[in-house]
Amino acid sequence: MTVPPIDPGCPWYELSLWGLPNIDWCEAPRCSWIVEPANTWSNLFYVIAALILWRWSHERQVHSLIRGFAPSALVVGLFSFIYHASNTFFFQVFDFVGMFVFLGLPLALNLKRLRATSVGLTWATVIASGTGLVFLLRSQELAIQPLVAALILGIVVTEAACRYRRADSPSYGPFWLALALLAGAGAFSFLDLTRTWCNPDNHVIQGHALWHMLAAASMLPLYRFYESIFD
């Protein structure tokens, strides 16, 4: 579905001339500094998750790598907030970068457990290559969102490899809970995108807003899972 253009005189009009997002969510855009209210304010759940993760990581001595979860969650929330507030491709790039930052961390931790490479190198590679692919896919008018699904799949596959090689013996309850929350988040986002569940004029709750809420919730058990491994 084509993203409706921002009208001249609206706050983000000039920036929108650089390009519009590649995806049109259900929520009807408004001529305002907050173009999509429900999809914007729901990102505060990431900020709440970041604060909880920060508190958890400072309540006890945790591995320095685990402390990266809190700032990564905050980056996701802030970048997604400004993207949905503006509804421009310029800030959509930042939205993807935020997701690469967060998802790149558990992927890098898994590869460390497999003794493949350093966390910092893997993390930086995921962020840099993912950002490059955003521009490449955009130039070819291809879907960009599968990059996020690919990273989640990468986390699951590398976790399966860790379990097969018995790199460690964590309790998988938090991991499965995180995946279940992400699956629910993806389902609501899909219902939004396909207009299966869609009320464009509802600026309080939207399917994609529920993606933000459930995805933010998934960060908490995911943190607990990796905290137990790198204790």
PDB file of all heavy atoms in Angstrom, residues 149-181:
ATOM      1  N   ALA A 149      13.004 -10.026  10.620  1.00  0.00           N
ATOM      2  CA  ALA A 149      12.663 -11.437  10.782  1.00  0.00           C
ATOM      3  C   ALA A 149      13.901 -12.314  10.631  1.00  0.00           C
ATOM      4  O   ALA A 149      14.058 -13.320  11.347  1.00  0.00           O
ATOM      5  CB  ALA A 149      11.600 -11.836   9.762  1.00  0.00           C
ATOM      6  N   ALA A 150      14.794 -11.945   9.717  1.00  0.00           N
ATOM      7  CA  ALA A 150      16.013 -12.718   9.497  1.00  0.00           C
ATOM      8  C   ALA A 150      16.908 -12.696  10.734  1.00  0.00           C
ATOM      9  O   ALA A 150      17.522 -13.713  11.087  1.00  0.00           O
ATOM     10  CB  ALA A 150      16.766 -12.176   8.289  1.00  0.00           C
ATOM     11  N   LEU A 151      16.981 -11.555  11.397  1.00  0.00           N
ATOM     12  CA  LEU A 151      17.792 -11.464  12.612  1.00  0.00           C
ATOM     13  C   LEU A 151      17.197 -12.308  13.739  1.00  0.00           C
ATOM     14  O   LEU A 151      17.925 -12.985  14.468  1.00  0.00           O
ATOM     15  CB  LEU A 151      17.915 -10.004  13.050  1.00  0.00           C
ATOM     16  CG  LEU A 151      18.971  -9.167  12.333  1.00  0.00           C
ATOM     17  CD1 LEU A 151      18.917  -7.718  12.811  1.00  0.00           C
ATOM     18  CD2 LEU A 151      20.360  -9.745  12.551  1.00  0.00           C
ATOM     19  N   ILE A 152      15.879 -12.259  13.878  1.00  0.00           N
ATOM     20  CA  ILE A 152      15.227 -13.081  14.905  1.00  0.00           C
ATOM     21  C   ILE A 152      15.473 -14.558  14.620  1.00  0.00           C
ATOM     22  O   ILE A 152      15.784 -15.343  15.525  1.00  0.00           O
ATOM     23  CB  ILE A 152      13.719 -12.769  14.973  1.00  0.00           C
ATOM     24  CG1 ILE A 152      13.500 -11.323  15.424  1.00  0.00           C
ATOM     25  CG2 ILE A 152      13.010 -13.742  15.919  1.00  0.00           C
ATOM     26  CD1 ILE A 152      12.052 -10.874  15.366  1.00  0.00           C
ATOM     27  N   LEU A 153      15.359 -14.938  13.339  1.00  0.00           N
ATOM     28  CA  LEU A 153      15.631 -16.320  12.959  1.00  0.00           C
ATOM     29  C   LEU A 153      17.089 -16.677  13.254  1.00  0.00           C
ATOM     30  O   LEU A 153      17.384 -17.782  13.717  1.00  0.00           O
ATOM     31  CB  LEU A 153      15.330 -16.525  11.475  1.00  0.00           C
ATOM     32  CG  LEU A 153      15.599 -17.929  10.916  1.00  0.00           C
ATOM     33  CD1 LEU A 153      14.735 -18.961  11.632  1.00  0.00           C
ATOM     34  CD2 LEU A 153      15.334 -17.957   9.410  1.00  0.00           C
ATOM     35  N   GLY A 154      17.994 -15.732  13.009  1.00  0.00           N
ATOM     36  CA  GLY A 154      19.402 -15.967  13.298  1.00  0.00           C
ATOM     37  C   GLY A 154      19.646 -16.229  14.774  1.00  0.00           C
ATOM     38  O   GLY A 154      20.468 -17.084  15.136  1.00  0.00           O
ATOM     39  N   ILE A 155      18.932 -15.506  15.624  1.00  0.00           N
ATOM     40  CA  ILE A 155      19.047 -15.717  17.072  1.00  0.00           C
ATOM     41  C   ILE A 155      18.574 -17.121  17.436  1.00  0.00           C
ATOM     42  O   ILE A 155      19.217 -17.834  18.218  1.00  0.00           O
ATOM     43  CB  ILE A 155      18.247 -14.647  17.839  1.00  0.00           C
ATOM     44  CG1 ILE A 155      18.871 -13.260  17.623  1.00  0.00           C
ATOM     45  CG2 ILE A 155      18.183 -14.980  19.333  1.00  0.00           C
ATOM     46  CD1 ILE A 155      18.016 -12.120  18.124  1.00  0.00           C
ATOM     47  N   VAL A 156      17.438 -17.522  16.862  1.00  0.00           N
ATOM     48  CA  VAL A 156      16.885 -18.852  17.168  1.00  0.00           C
ATOM     49  C   VAL A 156      17.823 -19.954  16.684  1.00  0.00           C
ATOM     50  O   VAL A 156      18.089 -20.927  17.406  1.00  0.00           O
ATOM     51  CB  VAL A 156      15.491 -19.007  16.523  1.00  0.00           C
ATOM     52  CG1 VAL A 156      14.980 -20.434  16.693  1.00  0.00           C
ATOM     53  CG2 VAL A 156      14.508 -18.010  17.134  1.00  0.00           C
ATOM     54  N   VAL A 157      18.345 -19.797  15.459  1.00  0.00           N
ATOM     55  CA  VAL A 157      19.227 -20.831  14.892  1.00  0.00           C
ATOM     56  C   VAL A 157      20.522 -20.945  15.685  1.00  0.00           C
ATOM     57  O   VAL A 157      20.977 -22.055  16.005  1.00  0.00           O
ATOM     58  CB  VAL A 157      19.528 -20.518  13.410  1.00  0.00           C
ATOM     59  CG1 VAL A 157      20.637 -21.426  12.881  1.00  0.00           C
ATOM     60  CG2 VAL A 157      18.272 -20.681  12.569  1.00  0.00           C
ATOM     61  N   THR A 158      21.128 -19.812  16.014  1.00  0.00           N
ATOM     62  CA  THR A 158      22.385 -19.869  16.780  1.00  0.00           C
ATOM     63  C   THR A 158      22.145 -20.374  18.190  1.00  0.00           C
ATOM     64  O   THR A 158      23.003 -21.037  18.773  1.00  0.00           O
ATOM     65  CB  THR A 158      23.068 -18.493  16.820  1.00  0.00           C
ATOM     66  OG1 THR A 158      22.136 -17.495  17.295  1.00  0.00           O
ATOM     67  CG2 THR A 158      23.578 -18.090  15.446  1.00  0.00           C
ATOM     68  N   GLU A 159      20.970 -20.096  18.754  1.00  0.00           N
ATOM     69  CA  GLU A 159      20.648 -20.624  20.077  1.00  0.00           C
ATOM     70  C   GLU A 159      20.500 -22.146  20.009  1.00  0.00           C
ATOM     71  O   GLU A 159      20.944 -22.865  20.907  1.00  0.00           O
ATOM     72  CB  GLU A 159      19.372 -19.982  20.617  1.00  0.00           C
ATOM     73  CG  GLU A 159      19.007 -20.415  22.024  1.00  0.00           C
ATOM     74  CD  GLU A 159      20.130 -20.173  23.005  1.00  0.00           C
ATOM     75  OE1 GLU A 159      20.665 -19.046  23.033  1.00  0.00           O
ATOM     76  OE2 GLU A 159      20.491 -21.115  23.745  1.00  0.00           O
ATOM     77  N   ALA A 160      19.882 -22.623  18.920  1.00  0.00           N
ATOM     78  CA  ALA A 160      19.762 -24.062  18.727  1.00  0.00           C
ATOM     79  C   ALA A 160      21.147 -24.700  18.608  1.00  0.00           C
ATOM     80  O   ALA A 160      21.385 -25.795  19.140  1.00  0.00           O
ATOM     81  CB  ALA A 160      18.927 -24.360  17.482  1.00  0.00           C
ATOM     82  N   ALA A 161      22.057 -24.005  17.935  1.00  0.00           N
ATOM     83  CA  ALA A 161      23.427 -24.523  17.800  1.00  0.00           C
ATOM     84  C   ALA A 161      24.120 -24.565  19.155  1.00  0.00           C
ATOM     85  O   ALA A 161      24.851 -25.522  19.457  1.00  0.00           O
ATOM     86  CB  ALA A 161      24.212 -23.649  16.826  1.00  0.00           C
ATOM     87  N   CYS A 162      23.878 -23.543  19.975  1.00  0.00           N
ATOM     88  CA  CYS A 162      24.464 -23.528  21.324  1.00  0.00           C
ATOM     89  C   CYS A 162      23.955 -24.706  22.138  1.00  0.00           C
ATOM     90  O   CYS A 162      24.717 -25.362  22.863  1.00  0.00           O
ATOM     91  CB  CYS A 162      24.124 -22.215  22.027  1.00  0.00           C
ATOM     92  SG  CYS A 162      24.979 -20.756  21.390  1.00  0.00           S
ATOM     93  N   ARG A 163      22.668 -24.970  22.001  1.00  0.00           N
ATOM     94  CA  ARG A 163      22.088 -26.082  22.770  1.00  0.00           C
ATOM     95  C   ARG A 163      22.623 -27.416  22.262  1.00  0.00           C
ATOM     96  O   ARG A 163      22.923 -28.320  23.055  1.00  0.00           O
ATOM     97  CB  ARG A 163      20.567 -26.036  22.660  1.00  0.00           C
ATOM     98  CG  ARG A 163      19.864 -27.058  23.545  1.00  0.00           C
ATOM     99  CD  ARG A 163      18.362 -26.859  23.537  1.00  0.00           C
ATOM    100  NE  ARG A 163      17.707 -27.758  24.478  1.00  0.00           N
ATOM    101  CZ  ARG A 163      16.399 -27.774  24.698  1.00  0.00           C
ATOM    102  NH1 ARG A 163      15.608 -26.928  24.043  1.00  0.00           N
ATOM    103  NH2 ARG A 163      15.875 -28.615  25.565  1.00  0.00           N
ATOM    104  N   TYR A 164      22.760 -27.549  20.943  1.00  0.00           N
ATOM    105  CA  TYR A 164      23.251 -28.793  20.362  1.00  0.00           C
ATOM    106  C   TYR A 164      24.691 -29.072  20.787  1.00  0.00           C
ATOM    107  O   TYR A 164      25.055 -30.210  21.086  1.00  0.00           O
ATOM    108  CB  TYR A 164      23.157 -28.713  18.839  1.00  0.00           C
ATOM    109  CG  TYR A 164      23.727 -29.918  18.126  1.00  0.00           C
ATOM    110  CD1 TYR A 164      23.022 -31.113  18.072  1.00  0.00           C
ATOM    111  CD2 TYR A 164      24.976 -29.836  17.496  1.00  0.00           C
ATOM    112  CE1 TYR A 164      23.549 -32.219  17.424  1.00  0.00           C
ATOM    113  CE2 TYR A 164      25.501 -30.937  16.847  1.00  0.00           C
ATOM    114  CZ  TYR A 164      24.792 -32.121  16.805  1.00  0.00           C
ATOM    115  OH  TYR A 164      25.318 -33.214  16.169  1.00  0.00           O
ATOM    116  N   ARG A 165      25.496 -27.999  20.808  1.00  0.00           N
ATOM    117  CA  ARG A 165      26.899 -28.151  21.188  1.00  0.00           C
ATOM    118  C   ARG A 165      27.106 -28.109  22.696  1.00  0.00           C
ATOM    119  O   ARG A 165      28.224 -28.233  23.178  1.00  0.00           O
ATOM    120  CB  ARG A 165      27.734 -27.051  20.523  1.00  0.00           C
ATOM    121  CG  ARG A 165      27.739 -27.116  19.013  1.00  0.00           C
ATOM    122  CD  ARG A 165      28.719 -26.125  18.428  1.00  0.00           C
ATOM    123  NE  ARG A 165      28.664 -26.119  16.978  1.00  0.00           N
ATOM    124  CZ  ARG A 165      29.477 -25.388  16.208  1.00  0.00           C
ATOM    125  NH1 ARG A 165      30.403 -24.622  16.779  1.00  0.00           N
ATOM    126  NH2 ARG A 165      29.375 -25.429  14.895  1.00  0.00           N
ATOM    127  N   ARG A 166      25.999 -27.909  23.412  1.00  0.00           N
ATOM    128  CA  ARG A 166      26.048 -27.843  24.872  1.00  0.00           C
ATOM    129  C   ARG A 166      27.096 -26.825  25.340  1.00  0.00           C
ATOM    130  O   ARG A 166      27.922 -27.103  26.221  1.00  0.00           O
ATOM    131  CB  ARG A 166      26.328 -29.218  25.460  1.00  0.00           C
ATOM    132  CG  ARG A 166      25.238 -30.226  25.121  1.00  0.00           C
ATOM    133  CD  ARG A 166      25.452 -31.546  25.807  1.00  0.00           C
ATOM    134  NE  ARG A 166      24.366 -32.476  25.483  1.00  0.00           N
ATOM    135  CZ  ARG A 166      24.273 -33.709  25.974  1.00  0.00           C
ATOM    136  NH1 ARG A 166      25.199 -34.157  26.817  1.00  0.00           N
ATOM    137  NH2 ARG A 166      23.266 -34.498  25.634  1.00  0.00           N
ATOM    138  N   ALA A 167      27.017 -25.639  24.712  1.00  0.00           N
ATOM    139  CA  ALA A 167      27.937 -24.573  25.101  1.00  0.00           C
ATOM    140  C   ALA A 167      27.711 -24.177  26.555  1.00  0.00           C
ATOM    141  O   ALA A 167      28.616 -23.743  27.253  1.00  0.00           O
ATOM    142  CB  ALA A 167      27.745 -23.353  24.189  1.00  0.00           C
ATOM    143  N   ASP A 168      26.465 -24.334  27.023  1.00  0.00           N
ATOM    144  CA  ASP A 168      26.091 -24.048  28.407  1.00  0.00           C
ATOM    145  C   ASP A 168      24.747 -24.728  28.650  1.00  0.00           C
ATOM    146  O   ASP A 168      24.192 -25.351  27.750  1.00  0.00           O
ATOM    147  CB  ASP A 168      26.021 -22.539  28.673  1.00  0.00           C
ATOM    148  CG  ASP A 168      25.523 -21.771  27.457  1.00  0.00           C
ATOM    149  OD1 ASP A 168      24.491 -22.191  26.894  1.00  0.00           O
ATOM    150  OD2 ASP A 168      26.173 -20.793  27.049  1.00  0.00           O
ATOM    151  N   SER A 169      24.216 -24.600  29.858  1.00  0.00           N
ATOM    152  CA  SER A 169      22.953 -25.275  30.169  1.00  0.00           C
ATOM    153  C   SER A 169      21.970 -24.313  30.832  1.00  0.00           C
ATOM    154  O   SER A 169      21.650 -24.435  32.018  1.00  0.00           O
ATOM    155  CB  SER A 169      23.214 -26.475  31.086  1.00  0.00           C
ATOM    156  OG  SER A 169      24.095 -27.379  30.475  1.00  0.00           O
ATOM    157  N   PRO A 170      21.463 -23.341  30.065  1.00  0.00           N
ATOM    158  CA  PRO A 170      20.528 -22.385  30.661  1.00  0.00           C
ATOM    159  C   PRO A 170      19.112 -22.954  30.774  1.00  0.00           C
ATOM    160  O   PRO A 170      18.776 -23.962  30.147  1.00  0.00           O
ATOM    161  CB  PRO A 170      20.550 -21.228  29.655  1.00  0.00           C
ATOM    162  CG  PRO A 170      20.809 -21.907  28.348  1.00  0.00           C
ATOM    163  CD  PRO A 170      21.747 -23.047  28.661  1.00  0.00           C
ATOM    164  N   SER A 171      18.297 -22.299  31.558  1.00  0.00           N
ATOM    165  CA  SER A 171      16.878 -22.617  31.616  1.00  0.00           C
ATOM    166  C   SER A 171      16.198 -21.872  30.469  1.00  0.00           C
ATOM    167  O   SER A 171      16.350 -20.656  30.337  1.00  0.00           O
ATOM    168  CB  SER A 171      16.284 -22.171  32.955  1.00  0.00           C
ATOM    169  OG  SER A 171      14.878 -22.297  32.931  1.00  0.00           O
ATOM    170  N   TYR A 172      15.464 -22.586  29.636  1.00  0.00           N
ATOM    171  CA  TYR A 172      14.927 -21.976  28.415  1.00  0.00           C
ATOM    172  C   TYR A 172      13.553 -21.330  28.582  1.00  0.00           C
ATOM    173  O   TYR A 172      13.009 -20.796  27.609  1.00  0.00           O
ATOM    174  CB  TYR A 172      14.882 -23.016  27.293  1.00  0.00           C
ATOM    175  CG  TYR A 172      16.210 -23.140  26.592  1.00  0.00           C
ATOM    176  CD1 TYR A 172      17.144 -24.080  27.015  1.00  0.00           C
ATOM    177  CD2 TYR A 172      16.549 -22.309  25.533  1.00  0.00           C
ATOM    178  CE1 TYR A 172      18.380 -24.189  26.388  1.00  0.00           C
ATOM    179  CE2 TYR A 172      17.774 -22.399  24.897  1.00  0.00           C
ATOM    180  CZ  TYR A 172      18.685 -23.342  25.329  1.00  0.00           C
ATOM    181  OH  TYR A 172      19.902 -23.439  24.714  1.00  0.00           O
ATOM    182  N   GLY A 173      12.997 -21.361  29.775  1.00  0.00           N
ATOM    183  CA  GLY A 173      11.697 -20.736  29.980  1.00  0.00           C
ATOM    184  C   GLY A 173      11.647 -19.282  29.535  1.00  0.00           C
ATOM    185  O   GLY A 173      10.756 -18.896  28.759  1.00  0.00           O
ATOM    186  N   PRO A 174      12.556 -18.420  29.982  1.00  0.00           N
ATOM    187  CA  PRO A 174      12.531 -17.017  29.554  1.00  0.00           C
ATOM    188  C   PRO A 174      12.712 -16.848  28.049  1.00  0.00           C
ATOM    189  O   PRO A 174      12.124 -15.947  27.453  1.00  0.00           O
ATOM    190  CB  PRO A 174      13.707 -16.394  30.329  1.00  0.00           C
ATOM    191  CG  PRO A 174      13.897 -17.278  31.505  1.00  0.00           C
ATOM    192  CD  PRO A 174      13.580 -18.658  31.017  1.00  0.00           C
ATOM    193  N   PHE A 175      13.526 -17.706  27.435  1.00  0.00           N
ATOM    194  CA  PHE A 175      13.756 -17.610  25.986  1.00  0.00           C
ATOM    195  C   PHE A 175      12.475 -17.898  25.222  1.00  0.00           C
ATOM    196  O   PHE A 175      12.106 -17.165  24.295  1.00  0.00           O
ATOM    197  CB  PHE A 175      14.862 -18.578  25.569  1.00  0.00           C
ATOM    198  CG  PHE A 175      15.268 -18.453  24.121  1.00  0.00           C
ATOM    199  CD1 PHE A 175      16.066 -17.395  23.700  1.00  0.00           C
ATOM    200  CD2 PHE A 175      14.858 -19.394  23.188  1.00  0.00           C
ATOM    201  CE1 PHE A 175      16.445 -17.284  22.372  1.00  0.00           C
ATOM    202  CE2 PHE A 175      15.232 -19.284  21.858  1.00  0.00           C
ATOM    203  CZ  PHE A 175      16.035 -18.220  21.452  1.00  0.00           C
ATOM    204  N   TRP A 176      11.766 -18.969  25.617  1.00  0.00           N
ATOM    205  CA  TRP A 176      10.506 -19.303  24.939  1.00  0.00           C
ATOM    206  C   TRP A 176       9.453 -18.217  25.177  1.00  0.00           C
ATOM    207  O   TRP A 176       8.658 -17.919  24.272  1.00  0.00           O
ATOM    208  CB  TRP A 176       9.982 -20.649  25.412  1.00  0.00           C
ATOM    209  CG  TRP A 176      10.901 -21.809  25.191  1.00  0.00           C
ATOM    210  CD1 TRP A 176      11.240 -22.776  26.094  1.00  0.00           C
ATOM    211  CD2 TRP A 176      11.617 -22.133  23.994  1.00  0.00           C
ATOM    212  NE1 TRP A 176      12.122 -23.676  25.542  1.00  0.00           N
ATOM    213  CE2 TRP A 176      12.370 -23.307  24.249  1.00  0.00           C
ATOM    214  CE3 TRP A 176      11.702 -21.540  22.729  1.00  0.00           C
ATOM    215  CZ2 TRP A 176      13.184 -23.893  23.289  1.00  0.00           C
ATOM    216  CZ3 TRP A 176      12.531 -22.124  21.771  1.00  0.00           C
ATOM    217  CH2 TRP A 176      13.251 -23.285  22.053  1.00  0.00           C
ATOM    218  N   LEU A 177       9.447 -17.638  26.362  1.00  0.00           N
ATOM    219  CA  LEU A 177       8.502 -16.563  26.645  1.00  0.00           C
ATOM    220  C   LEU A 177       8.778 -15.358  25.754  1.00  0.00           C
ATOM    221  O   LEU A 177       7.842 -14.748  25.210  1.00  0.00           O
ATOM    222  CB  LEU A 177       8.586 -16.157  28.122  1.00  0.00           C
ATOM    223  CG  LEU A 177       7.705 -14.969  28.551  1.00  0.00           C
ATOM    224  CD1 LEU A 177       6.238 -15.237  28.236  1.00  0.00           C
ATOM    225  CD2 LEU A 177       7.899 -14.673  30.039  1.00  0.00           C
ATOM    226  N   ALA A 178      10.043 -15.015  25.595  1.00  0.00           N
ATOM    227  CA  ALA A 178      10.407 -13.895  24.731  1.00  0.00           C
ATOM    228  C   ALA A 178       9.953 -14.154  23.295  1.00  0.00           C
ATOM    229  O   ALA A 178       9.395 -13.261  22.634  1.00  0.00           O
ATOM    230  CB  ALA A 178      11.918 -13.652  24.784  1.00  0.00           C
ATOM    231  N   LEU A 179      10.166 -15.372  22.806  1.00  0.00           N
ATOM    232  CA  LEU A 179       9.748 -15.708  21.441  1.00  0.00           C
ATOM    233  C   LEU A 179       8.229 -15.674  21.303  1.00  0.00           C
ATOM    234  O   LEU A 179       7.693 -15.236  20.275  1.00  0.00           O
ATOM    235  CB  LEU A 179      10.278 -17.086  21.051  1.00  0.00           C
ATOM    236  CG  LEU A 179      11.776 -17.208  20.786  1.00  0.00           C
ATOM    237  CD1 LEU A 179      12.118 -18.617  20.315  1.00  0.00           C
ATOM    238  CD2 LEU A 179      12.248 -16.180  19.762  1.00  0.00           C
ATOM    239  N   ALA A 180       7.512 -16.133  22.329  1.00  0.00           N
ATOM    240  CA  ALA A 180       6.053 -16.117  22.281  1.00  0.00           C
ATOM    241  C   ALA A 180       5.526 -14.688  22.217  1.00  0.00           C
ATOM    242  O   ALA A 180       4.592 -14.391  21.459  1.00  0.00           O
ATOM    243  CB  ALA A 180       5.485 -16.835  23.511  1.00  0.00           C
ATOM    244  N   LEU A 181       6.127 -13.807  22.994  1.00  0.00           N
ATOM    245  CA  LEU A 181       5.718 -12.398  22.963  1.00  0.00           C
ATOM    246  C   LEU A 181       6.013 -11.780  21.602  1.00  0.00           C
ATOM    247  O   LEU A 181       5.216 -11.001  21.070  1.00  0.00           O
ATOM    248  CB  LEU A 181       6.427 -11.630  24.080  1.00  0.00           C
ATOM    249  CG  LEU A 181       5.940 -11.930  25.501  1.00  0.00           C
ATOM    250  CD1 LEU A 181       6.900 -11.339  26.532  1.00  0.00           C
ATOM    251  CD2 LEU A 181       4.530 -11.379  25.720  1.00  0.00           C
TER     252      LEU A 181
END
